[in-house]
Amino acid sequence: MASSFAVCGLHLRGRGSLVKCLQKVETSLHRSIGTNVVAAQTEATRKDEGDEKEKDGHKSLYALQAERQEQAERSVLISCHSRTNEKKFLKYLSRHGEIKKHFFYESYGTYAVVEFANQESVASLLEGAAIPSISHECTVPFKSRLLSLSNLGSGDSPNQKSGLQCQPQTTVPINELIQRLSREESIDQQITFLTEAYQLTEENSRLRFLVCSLLKDIAAAYFPECIIKPFGSSVNGFGKLGCDLDMFLDLDGISGRNVKMPKSGLSLEYQMKRANSERSVTQSILSVIGECVDQFGPGCVGVQKILNARCPLVRFAHQPSGFQCDLTANNRVAMKSTELLYLYGELDPRVRCLVFTVRCWARAHGVTSSIPGAWITNFSLTVMVLFFLQRRSPPIIPTLDQLRDLAGPADKSVIEGNDCTFVSDLSKIQLSSNTETLERLLCEFFEFYATFTFSRRSINIRKGKEQNKPEVAPLHIQNPFETSLNVSKNVNATQLDRFVALCQESAWLLQQSETNTPKGHREGNTPTPWGLATILLPLHVAGVKISKKRRREPASDRIKGLLESLKNKNQQKVS
């Protein structure tokens, strides 16, 4: 981002300023609807056409984002009654144009996401919408694509049950998950089921991009060509239902940045205010956008402007979607991390399955937490899984340095002096010949970290091998791009010791499942937990007690013996 910017109306004072600001937002909304999605097109053309579709039908992250953003621009979010007649609802909306897709879900009430075939239909729908019949003085005349449905359900019986099929937006409770896992026939099937039950659905992904698009309509009042797009778990393939929505306000695509100035003669430049630093620019932009979201954003509550953090952000809850949202404006390294994790997940299906399983296990035992503290974060845990997969023989995924060596000129990326270059075309990456089962990988993941020398060694997915710790910290995981940073610096010795002990006991429990076949899952009775289900239970329920003595041991002889027997057994199966 350049160290200059233009902001109109930084201070909202008086009713006149309020009306002017709302008019700006409304103008930007209609501009967005009446034209093609310039921002999405800009993002989509950043890569060559050959990079848009990867081999075996895999899409690049750029192609996925462009598709989702374009869908979001043609969509509206409607609050409706739980007894709404779906046929009447669709018939009414179809008057404005063809409906391409729709679905219902429950948050703070019942909502519908409706995607039209073209943007003209959205403009027609908004043109026919009415301002609520409330006192003019207490209504903020802000127009957006978040609407409320009235009267259509009035002819239905008050006692009529909802006939709407609502798409789930959260994961199943852990107790229900354990029961379902216990009915599966193998640990591999358990891991696959857990992944399918926890990963973001098609509908939830569309909703996340729609929320970003709704927020973009507000930001576009000041920056008409901006993009707001999700990053992190919402798009990297490792997000579970209910995860937070991290959003990035991207101003790099605004036209005029790369205009070639003539060597001589007349030329024009925009007059812009300047700030002391890029950080100051980011803080000012987020302050204004945060104020607009707080004052005018329908359904946006609990707005916090956390501008003095290492990465300034605006945090709020979006009640219509149920998402906890974080908006940043200068976090490009995080965008590259998102792309990298997405690429790893696309390379081999076992990557996502193992990450989902380990994350679920970690949350079940309090290794991770949604509350900031000394816990291991989901990102750190994901990097640990990737590192383990790089250490297999043969490796299941390549190192970041290997991906950098495969990169072409279009992949070149240097952000704030950090080399963030890696290949984006999956067809250039040779797939692994490793055929290990998910069961074996999960068991050996726990054994790998139960015996890892955290006291001396650092985890590094750029090199794919252990390195000496560059600093004194219980757990050191090198940031893949900002290599001087430790992404697990917050983790204390107590939490690390607990993680190691849980790895030891979970490895042992999985070994026990080799000799304990699932029982009772064919009958209607509650199945007996086994396999993956046992390591998701509290360890005292599973019949295991973590002793202080064994917590200090790198790994017990019992675990080593059982793991060795499993290796021999698997080798016999292969031969």
Side-chain angles (χ1 to χ4, degrees):
M1 184 185 302
S3 60
S4 59
F5 66 104
V7 175
C8 300
L10 284 175
H11 302 286
L12 308 176
R13 295 173 180 169
R15 186 171 180 82
S17 297
L18 171 66
V19 173
K20 288 180 181 179
C21 185
L22 291 173
Q23 288 173 343
K24 287 164 63 66
V25 176
E26 182 178 354
T27 300
S28 71
L29 173 62
H30 285 287
R31 183 191 299 119
S32 174
I33 294 172
T35 60
N36 292 329
V37 189
V38 177
Q41 291 177 338
T42 301
E43 183 71 13
T45 55
R46 287 176 62 186
K47 295 292 182 180
D48 295 331
E49 290 184 2
D51 291 337
E52 295 299 342
K53 293 283 184 178
E54 309 296 355
K55 69 177 185 177
D56 298 327
H58 292 289
K59 293 180 181 178
S60 70
L61 183 60
Y62 292 104
L64 175 66
Q65 286 179 321
E67 177 184 336
R68 289 280 187 246
Q69 287 166 359
E70 200 272 335
Q71 289 169 344
E73 293 292 330
R74 291 185 279 106
S75 301
V76 294
L77 183 57
I78 302 176
S79 172
C80 52
H81 199 280
S82 60
R83 293 193 300 271
T84 297
N85 185 296
E86 185 173 358
K87 289 184 178 180
K88 288 182 180 180
F89 175 75
L90 295 177
K91 183 178 180 181
Y92 173 75
L93 295 181
S94 295
R95 297 187 304 178
H96 300 279
E98 177 188 352
I99 296 174
K100 195 168 184 180
K101 183 177 177 63
H102 77 282
F103 62 90
F104 297 89
Y105 70 91
E106 292 181 347
S107 179
Y108 290 84
T110 302
Y111 289 84
V113 173
V114 180
E115 177 197 341
F116 286 95
N118 56 70
Q119 286 186 316
E120 288 73 19
S121 299
V122 177
S124 173
L125 181 69
L126 295 181
E127 190 67 27
I131 298 291
S133 56
I134 308 175
S135 170
H136 176 70
E137 292 298 319
C138 64
T139 301
V140 179
F142 175 80
K143 293 183 178 181
S144 75
R145 285 176 287 143
L146 175 56
L147 306 163
S148 295
L149 183 69
S150 302
N151 298 326
L152 279 183
S154 59
D156 298 330
S157 170
N159 297 323
Q160 178 183 348
K161 293 183 179 180
S162 173
L164 300 177
Q165 293 186 348
C166 292
Q167 297 294 327
Q169 301 299 309
T170 56
T171 56
V172 298
I174 188 67
N175 291 337
E176 182 180 343
L177 175 67
I178 289 172
Q179 289 187 21
R180 293 187 185 182
L181 292 175
S182 300
R183 291 188 172 91
E184 297 296 329
E185 299 287 344
S186 68
I187 292 180
D188 274 52
Q189 290 179 3
Q190 289 180 329
I191 295 174
T192 301
F193 176 83
L194 183 146
T195 303
E196 293 174 350
Y198 267 57
Q199 66 186 356
L200 297 184
T201 61
E202 162 81 8
E203 291 78 14
N204 193 268
S205 178
R206 285 172 175 263
L207 182 58
R208 289 172 184 272
F209 275 87
L210 178 53
V211 172
C212 290
S213 182
L214 295 175
L215 197 65
K216 187 267 299 182
D217 291 340
I218 298 177
Y222 300 99
F223 309 100
E225 300 171 19
C226 72
I227 308 171
I228 291 184
K229 51 191 175 185
F231 69 95
S233 294
S234 292
V235 288
N236 64 20
F238 299 112
K240 74 170 186 176
L241 286 170
C243 67
D244 292 349
L245 174 56
D246 295 314
M247 299 180 287
F248 176 70
L249 173 63
D250 189 355
L251 305 178
D252 289 346
I254 293 178
S255 60
R257 288 190 178 277
N258 299 316
V259 174
K260 293 183 179 180
M261 302 300 292
K263 294 182 179 180
S264 62
L266 299 176
S267 64
L268 289 174
E269 291 182 343
Y270 292 100
Q271 286 197 15
M272 297 185 176
K273 285 190 174 182
R274 295 184 178 274
N276 296 327
S277 65
E278 184 176 8
R279 178 178 175 84
S280 179
V281 172
T282 300
Q283 290 172 324
S284 297
I285 291 172
L286 288 177
S287 179
V288 174
I289 302 303
E291 187 69 21
C292 288
V293 171
D294 190 20
Q295 298 295 329
F296 314 132
C300 298
V301 299
V303 178
Q304 297 175 279
K305 294 187 286 186
I306 309 173
L307 304 180
N308 292 321
R310 179 177 175 271
C311 181
L313 60 94
V314 174
R315 175 169 294 165
F316 61 95
H318 187 258
Q319 286 188 332
S321 64
F323 298 143
Q324 180 69 38
C325 303
D326 285 348
L327 174 67
T328 62
N330 187 15
N331 200 8
R332 295 174 186 80
V333 173
M335 295 296 296
K336 292 302 293 185
S337 295
T338 297
E339 185 183 353
L340 178 65
L341 296 190
Y342 176 85
L343 183 145
Y344 276 133
E346 289 290 298
L347 282 178
D348 192 300
R350 291 172 293 178
V351 177
R352 286 197 178 112
C353 287
L354 197 60
V355 168
F356 271 106
T357 304
V358 171
R359 279 190 176 186
C360 182
W361 165 85
R363 180 53 63 91
H365 294 292
V367 174
T368 58
S369 174
S370 58
I371 303 172
W375 296 277
I376 299 175
T377 65
N378 276 330
F379 180 72
S380 294
L381 204 60
T382 301
V383 173
M384 294 175 79
V385 173
L386 297 177
F387 181 74
F388 163 74
L389 295 175
Q390 290 174 338
R391 301 292 294 159
R392 305 308 294 159
S393 181
I396 292 178
I397 55 174
T399 67
L400 180 52
D401 278 352
Q402 290 169 335
L403 294 177
R404 180 196 58 194
D405 294 340
L406 294 172
D411 297 315
K412 181 70 175 178
S413 177
V414 177
I415 301 174
E416 298 174 0
N418 300 300
D419 185 6
C420 301
T421 302
F422 59 89
V423 65
S424 61
D425 186 352
L426 272 72
S427 65
K428 296 181 180 179
I429 306 172
Q430 184 176 357
L431 299 181
S432 173
S433 60
N434 185 300
T435 59
E436 291 177 294
T437 64
L438 286 168
E439 177 180 351
R440 180 172 183 179
L441 288 173
L442 180 62
C443 189
E444 297 203 7
F445 168 86
F446 291 127
E447 173 64 10
F448 181 82
Y449 285 110
T451 59
F452 192 85
T453 52
F454 289 106
S455 59
R456 294 185 294 107
R457 311 299 275 175
S458 170
I459 294 170
N460 182 348
I461 64 170
R462 178 169 282 278
K463 301 295 183 184
K465 59 183 179 181
E466 299 95 338
Q467 294 187 311
N468 292 329
K469 273 182 167 182
E471 64 180 41
V472 178
L475 175 62
H476 190 279
I477 302 174
Q478 185 188 78
N479 187 302
F481 298 117
E482 297 176 282
T483 54
S484 63
L485 299 181
N486 173 14
V487 300
S488 56
K489 193 172 184 178
N490 61 300
V491 180
N492 60 29
T494 301
Q495 291 298 323
L496 179 60
D497 286 346
R498 187 167 179 274
F499 170 77
V500 171
L502 285 166
C503 285
Q504 292 175 352
E505 303 301 346
S506 295
W508 180 79
L509 284 171
L510 287 176
Q511 296 307 306
Q512 297 300 297
S513 295
E514 277 292 292
T515 57
N516 296 333
T517 56
K519 298 177 181 179
H521 63 280
R522 294 187 181 277
E523 293 78 20
N525 301 328
T526 302
T528 302
W530 75 281
L532 179 57
T534 61
I535 68 169
L536 298 181
L537 288 168
L539 290 186
H540 69 274
V541 175
V544 176
K545 182 178 180 181
I546 305 179
S547 66
K548 293 182 179 180
K549 179 180 179 181
R550 290 173 60 189
R551 188 176 296 182
R552 289 192 294 266
E553 296 173 353
S556 66
D557 293 338
R558 176 187 60 176
I559 296 176
K560 289 182 177 179
L562 288 168
L563 285 173
E564 190 62 35
S565 65
L566 176 61
K567 291 179 183 178
N568 295 335
K569 186 175 181 179
N570 285 331
Q571 289 172 357
Q572 292 173 1
K573 289 180 180 178
V574 173
S575 60

